Amino acid sequence: MEVKVDFDRCEANGVCVGIAPDVFDLDDDDNLIVTQPVGDDAETVALMEEAVSQCPRAALKLAR
Ligand code: SF4
């Protein structure tokens, strides 16, 4: 699974960082960065799915 960010929608509020800190991070300028865009293990994919569902801006999606 690969997580994709629509940066036109993302407001960098960090919700996804809180859910999956091994996947997402905020840089020094508070911009979202994806540190691990591809996840193959079930635990990482579950956290990615949780982040997608909780993003208040609907800026995340998963692709195979
Ligand atoms: S939860 Fe959504 S809006 Fe917030 S930082 Fe992550 S992708 Fe951006």
Side-chain angles (χ1 to χ4, degrees):
M1 284 291 195
E2 180 174 2
V3 67
K4 309 239 187 204
V5 182
D6 181 344
F7 285 99
D8 289 334
R9 297 191 64 86
C10 174
E11 62 184 12
N13 52 38
V15 171
C16 57
V17 181
I19 294 168
D22 291 339
V23 176
F24 304 99
D25 202 357
L26 294 173
D27 69 13
D28 292 340
D29 296 321
D30 275 348
N31 296 308
L32 181 69
I33 50 176
V34 185
T35 54
Q36 186 188 341
V38 176
D40 292 323
D41 61 290
E43 184 179 348
T44 301
V45 171
L47 289 172
M48 286 175 166
E49 289 173 340
E50 176 75 8
V52 169
S53 70
Q54 296 294 325
C55 173
R57 296 282 299 153
L60 298 175
K61 66 179 180 182
L62 285 179
R64 287 191 185 275

